Amino acid sequence: MKKILAFAGSNSSTSINHQLLEVLGKEVEVDFELVSLRDYEAPMFGVDLKNAEGVPNTMKLLHEKMKTADGLLVSVAEHNGSMAAVLKNTFDWLSMLEKKFFLNKPTVFLSTSPGPRGAASSLKHIVEIMPYRGADIVGHQSVPSFYETVKDGEIESEMKEKLTALIRTLEASLIQES
């Protein structure tokens, strides 16, 4: 069975991007390992710190998880029109281990927010830059107005159809990879 690793680009204990992935796993019936960046903390990246102390073990562990996955599913939080600092920091550290840390694996990027744009700015940015970091992007989707779109553990039907199609595309790309 192919392995999908999923994580939200947030370290909030109440992350709606993490919640989106949890609901997605149940609603769309996709089997993935969902991890939290809260379990992979790292100090703010800096060259001096990296040279003095090396790459944190937490980043090495996350990198190993990414290496053993067949595909990746990442839901991106947005802060002030860009990806959350914790995600940028994670990517900065991972790039010290391997420049193309997405390892050319099939990847789907999602984003959500309470507002009507659904973190579309951070998603656009991620989709533009992550191919340079080895993401083989097979799809992406912004989920607007999280609290209206996801209620009582269920995704609104039109969005559920879009997300289901994306997940099936990711799964199909994993089969083609074998």
Side-chain angles (χ1 to χ4, degrees):
M1 179 188 233
K2 297 293 182 174
K3 180 179 171 186
I4 298 171
L5 178 67
F7 61 90
S10 172
N11 60 353
S12 169
S13 63
T14 59
S15 167
I16 59 176
N17 282 277
H18 190 89
Q19 290 176 50
L20 175 64
L21 292 171
E22 287 177 323
V23 171
L24 187 64
K26 295 172 192 161
E27 283 278 282
V28 179
E29 297 178 7
V30 58
D31 187 28
F32 57 71
E33 179 184 2
L34 177 59
V35 299
S36 171
L37 291 185
R38 294 178 67 194
D39 296 326
Y40 298 91
E41 291 183 355
M44 186 60 66
F45 176 79
V47 173
D48 293 339
L49 180 61
K50 182 220 150 223
N51 290 340
E53 298 181 20
V55 176
N57 284 333
T58 53
M59 293 295 102
K60 292 175 184 176
L61 291 170
L62 181 58
H63 186 247
E64 283 303 312
K65 280 204 174 283
M66 292 174 77
K67 284 168 65 173
T68 62
D70 299 299
L72 300 161
L73 176 61
V74 181
S75 191
V76 182
E78 182 174 291
H79 294 170
N80 299 313
S82 188
M83 72 180 93
V86 67
L87 186 61
K88 174 71 167 82
N89 190 54
T90 298
F91 289 167
D92 288 343
W93 280 114
L94 288 172
S95 72
M96 295 298 104
L97 295 168
E98 189 155 357
K99 291 295 178 203
K100 294 192 175 213
F101 54 86
F102 272 88
L103 306 156
N104 300 311
K105 294 181 187 270
T107 303
V108 166
F109 287 106
L110 304 175
S111 67
T112 193
S113 72
R117 290 187 25 97
S121 295
S122 63
L123 181 63
K124 179 180 182 219
H125 185 213
I126 287 286
V127 168
E128 287 175 355
I129 65 173
M130 285 303 116
Y132 298 108
R133 295 292 162 236
D136 175 12
I137 301 173
V138 298
H140 57 88
Q141 179 67 51
S142 172
V143 178
S145 306
F146 176 79
Y147 296 106
E148 285 80 49
T149 305
V150 179
K151 289 184 182 175
D152 300 320
E154 295 183 4
I155 302 168
E156 174 270 324
S157 63
E158 186 179 325
M159 182 56 66
K160 182 178 176 179
E161 288 176 24
K162 290 177 182 179
L163 294 174
T164 299
L166 263 180
I167 294 302
R168 298 303 170 243
T169 299
L170 177 58
E171 290 172 332
S173 70
L174 300 179
I175 292 167
Q176 292 172 356
E177 294 282 316
S178 8

